[in-house]
Amino acid sequence: MSNSTQPRLFVTGATGQLGRLVIGELLKRVAADSIVAGIRSPDHEIARQLSAQGVETRIADYTAPDTLQAALEGIDRVLMISSTVGPDRVAQHRNVINAAIAAGVGLLAYTSLLHADTATSGLAADHKATEAALRVSGLPFVLLRHGWYTENHTPSMQPALQHGAVIGSAGQGRFSSATRADYAAAAAVVLTMDGQEGRVYELAGDESYDLADLAHTIASAASRPVTYQDMPKAKFKQALIGMGLPDVVAELIAESDISASRNELEDNGRQLSTLIGRPTTPYRRTVQDDVAAG
């Protein structure tokens, strides 16, 4: 550990949607000079903002092991935010793990998938492989298994209002979702607490809902009729692509609906709200805000 009383904390993917929120939460808890942000380019606007706040930035590219080894020197605790879905995802995670070992990092926190050990989704495979790599690495680690992000629904809300229907493949499966800000707060708490080695957190929202509930909530927020239309996965994915979503994102959402239909995205343990010391953000609030924003 570093010579200062405050551990040096490193966040990978710090300019991403989750990473930037984690940095914001850390700044509420610790001094800026104890935080290091992993970035791919110093020219990114978020990177500039972090530097202006007194946060050190270091180049840390998952695909370039040399940058990772240099970035993690002198770091005590690392948050490894899972890489973008793709064929090299696990290899990229191993690059971070190996760099953390070489740098003598005291703890690595990894954003895995809710109930990754029992999940049947194809999307779970990379998380299972990464968790397995951590277990054999000898590196002290903690697993932050993330459930569904409520924001994953927002791209479909305006089309739902236009067509009067929420579409999906989840059947009556339920989502225990929370916002990225909720998950970011949890990561910041874990990074700034002692005694986290070996812990596994199943993180999910306090309340669950199915897509019929979501449709009803959208309808209520907009005062317009919206129903839920269930469909086969392949048809749902194509519809998402037709809305302008990239293929990889459409596959993620469609595959996650199948997981929900198997009750793999519901969790009533309330570990997330317990960890952050407040209720998770109600999904209805996210829906209302999105509908109001138009």
Side-chain angles (χ1 to χ4, degrees):
M1 185 166 284
S2 61
N3 293 327
S4 65
T5 56
Q6 172 59 48
R8 292 277 276 168
L9 311 175
F10 189 97
V11 178
T12 69
T15 60
Q17 290 179 304
L18 179 62
R20 66 185 71 172
L21 292 174
V22 175
I23 297 288
E25 289 290 336
L26 287 173
L27 286 169
K28 298 175 184 177
R29 294 168 169 80
V30 299
D33 61 7
S34 67
I35 305 169
V36 181
I39 62 172
R40 285 193 294 178
S41 169
D43 296 327
H44 194 289
E45 179 58 30
I46 300 299
R48 291 197 187 101
Q49 292 174 15
L50 294 175
S51 294
Q53 292 175 288
V55 174
E56 181 183 352
T57 60
R58 298 181 184 177
I59 301 297
D61 188 333
Y62 283 17
T63 65
D66 289 347
T67 69
L68 295 170
Q69 291 174 18
L72 296 184
E73 285 300 320
I75 297 298
D76 301 306
R77 299 173 185 171
V78 174
L79 174 66
M80 178 171 70
I81 296 175
S82 56
S83 181
T84 304
V85 175
D88 300 324
R89 193 183 198 190
V90 177
Q92 291 176 21
H93 293 167
R94 287 199 181 104
N95 287 342
V96 178
I97 293 169
N98 291 336
I101 294 169
V105 166
L107 182 74
L108 187 147
Y110 171 60
T111 60
S112 188
L113 179 72
L114 185 67
H115 303 301
D117 52 339
T118 58
T120 61
S121 163
L123 298 173
D126 289 347
H127 294 293
K128 290 179 180 179
T130 300
E131 289 189 6
L134 282 167
R135 288 193 175 93
V136 301
S137 70
L139 187 69
F141 68 91
V142 53
L143 300 178
L144 307 178
R145 289 177 170 170
H146 285 195
W148 191 245
Y149 293 177
T150 308
E151 291 93 338
N152 288 343
H153 290 307
T154 56
S156 63
M157 288 186 194
Q158 293 305 318
L161 287 171
Q162 293 171 15
H163 302 288
V166 169
I167 60 174
S169 300
Q172 295 180 320
R174 303 184 72 81
F175 297 78
S176 297
S177 74
T179 62
R180 284 191 182 90
D182 294 332
Y183 292 109
V189 169
V190 168
L191 282 179
T192 54
M193 287 177 62
D194 294 330
Q196 296 302 300
E197 179 180 346
R199 291 181 178 267
V200 178
Y201 292 100
E202 303 290 355
L203 303 178
D206 289 344
E207 60 178 335
S208 67
Y209 56 92
D210 61 20
L211 293 185
D213 295 328
L214 178 66
H216 177 74
T217 302
I218 295 171
S220 297
S223 300
R224 292 164 61 178
V226 180
T227 58
Y228 172 54
Q229 180 181 345
D230 199 60
M231 58 181 60
K233 176 189 170 184
K235 185 176 180 181
F236 177 42
K237 178 180 175 180
Q238 287 305 310
L240 292 172
I241 292 173
M243 293 178 192
L245 294 183
D247 184 278
V248 65
V249 177
E251 173 63 24
L252 185 153
I253 293 175
E255 181 69 15
S256 295
D257 264 26
I258 298 302
S259 295
S261 73
R262 299 170 181 152
N263 299 315
E264 294 178 3
L265 296 183
E266 183 177 24
D267 182 275
N268 299 312
R270 299 201 171 197
Q271 291 188 31
L272 177 51
S273 57
T274 298
L275 193 59
I276 63 179
R278 61 167 174 79
T280 57
T281 307
Y283 82 93
R284 292 179 182 83
R285 184 187 305 168
T286 304
V287 171
Q288 291 163 357
D289 289 347
D290 186 78
V291 170

